[in-house]
Amino acid sequence: MGGMLENQVAIITGSGRGVGREVALMMAEHGAKVIVSDRDEGPANEVAAAIRESGGEALVYCGDVTASDFAKGIIGETISAFGRLDILVNNAGYTSDALIHKMTDEQFQAMLDIHLIAPFRLIREASPYMRDAAKKEIEQGIVHHRKIVNVSSVAGISGNVGQANYSSAKAGMVGLTKTVAKEWAGFNINSNAVAFGFIDTRLTQPKELGETVDGVAVGIPEKVRNMFIDKIPQKRAGDPKEAAAGIFYLASPLSNYVNGQVLHINGGTYT
């Protein structure tokens, strides 16, 4: 396989399903060696198998991104297997909604843990293989861009009813993204974020389907879901492949002079 990401190594959290899955397949199609990470082994193994069947390379690392040893474990396995790290996509997450006056401390903390603290830990753990590796390359006159892409949300930009926890965490992710860009841009590391609007995934599927994550119901009541979609200028939800394309752009050489930015992928919601 060949392409824009040939021989690069990419970690994508939450890549067993939805947008993360499409990102993993897209990057592999363009030559990247992909670490498929999910808390559920079944979906992760399916994505890795699909990559291998197409002639690509994939490693599966399953676990809970909020665990204190997750970052060390996945980075260690990646370096052991491939000896390098070029792309880090912080995509894993879910929602746990409630109005502010009904929201528990545990609900609020859970969103910070998965959407903000876990990405911070991964970026920090990756620093020897991104920042320090780049310093050595620069001393040798080598220019090689590495990419960090964090998945934020329209909720993190403008807030959202019932999502004080999620909105706060996703807003924090924007601040983290911009700070990493300012600290690491001089090392040819591009740190950017995508802010998704309404993308068709299990987090936005009709809540009536009854799917849960850690016992928490995910999805949106169908009536509310239809109201959201009606307000989108393009009058439809985004497809996971369309969402993945934005992440791919920020992870590819096409964005080598894009840094500290938030790419809004929302069908024109803010127009």
Side-chain angles (χ1 to χ4, degrees):
M1 299 181 77
M4 282 190 282
L5 304 181
E6 190 165 9
N7 295 321
Q8 294 195 39
V9 176
I11 291 175
I12 307 155
T13 65
S15 48
R17 299 180 177 87
V19 175
R21 177 183 186 276
E22 298 302 332
V23 173
L25 295 174
M26 200 174 290
M27 287 191 180
E29 182 182 349
H30 284 267
K33 300 170 184 177
V34 177
I35 292 78
V36 180
S37 175
D38 204 278
R39 61 179 305 162
D40 298 323
E41 290 188 13
N45 285 326
E46 288 175 10
V47 175
I51 290 172
R52 293 171 188 139
E53 287 169 11
S54 297
E57 291 187 59
L59 171 72
V60 173
Y61 188 91
C62 291
D64 180 355
V65 295
T66 67
S68 60
D69 61 349
F70 179 87
K72 187 176 182 64
I74 192 171
I75 299 292
E77 287 285 333
T78 299
I79 300 306
S80 177
F82 299 120
R84 60 188 292 164
L85 175 61
D86 304 279
I87 300 165
L88 172 61
V89 179
N90 286 305
N91 170 71
Y94 67 99
T95 56
S96 180
D97 298 351
L99 295 173
I100 290 174
H101 63 288
K102 295 182 178 180
M103 186 172 289
T104 66
D105 287 356
E106 290 75 17
Q107 275 180 293
F108 200 93
Q109 188 63 52
M111 293 297 95
L112 294 181
D113 287 345
I114 193 164
H115 294 290
L116 187 55
I117 296 173
F120 159 70
R121 286 174 174 164
L122 279 162
I123 293 168
R124 183 179 61 186
E125 191 68 32
S127 62
Y129 312 104
M130 299 188 92
R131 182 184 182 278
D132 296 352
K135 284 178 69 175
K136 294 178 182 177
E137 290 168 352
I138 291 169
E139 290 169 1
Q140 298 169 22
I142 298 169
V143 177
H144 171 62
H145 283 266
R146 291 177 175 81
K147 307 299 177 94
I148 296 171
V149 186
N150 295 321
V151 176
S152 186
S153 165
V154 294
I157 307 301
S158 60
N160 196 30
V161 173
Q163 292 189 323
N165 53 356
Y166 181 76
S167 297
S168 297
K170 290 300 193 183
M173 182 174 269
V174 172
L176 175 63
T177 299
K178 291 178 177 290
T179 300
V180 174
K182 288 188 174 183
E183 291 189 10
W184 290 7
F187 302 105
N188 299 315
I189 297 170
N190 300 77
S191 173
N192 294 288
V194 291
F196 291 143
F198 205 108
I199 308 298
D200 250 333
T201 68
R202 64 176 180 160
L203 297 185
T204 60
Q205 68 186 4
K207 203 163 192 172
E208 290 79 1
L209 293 177
E211 187 162 353
T212 62
V213 175
D214 287 344
V216 177
V218 296
I220 301 171
E222 192 156 16
K223 183 177 179 181
V224 177
R225 189 177 189 275
N226 292 336
M227 286 172 58
F228 279 144
I229 292 174
D230 191 55
K231 292 179 181 178
I232 301 171
Q234 287 191 226
K235 299 298 181 185
R236 65 175 177 86
D239 181 88
K241 288 184 179 179
E242 294 173 317
I247 294 175
F248 178 83
Y249 162 70
L250 291 174
S252 79
L254 297 172
S255 63
N256 282 354
Y257 200 59
V258 178
N259 224 326
Q261 301 302 305
V262 181
L263 176 61
H264 297 270
I265 304 174
N266 57 35
T269 298
Y270 293 145
T271 55

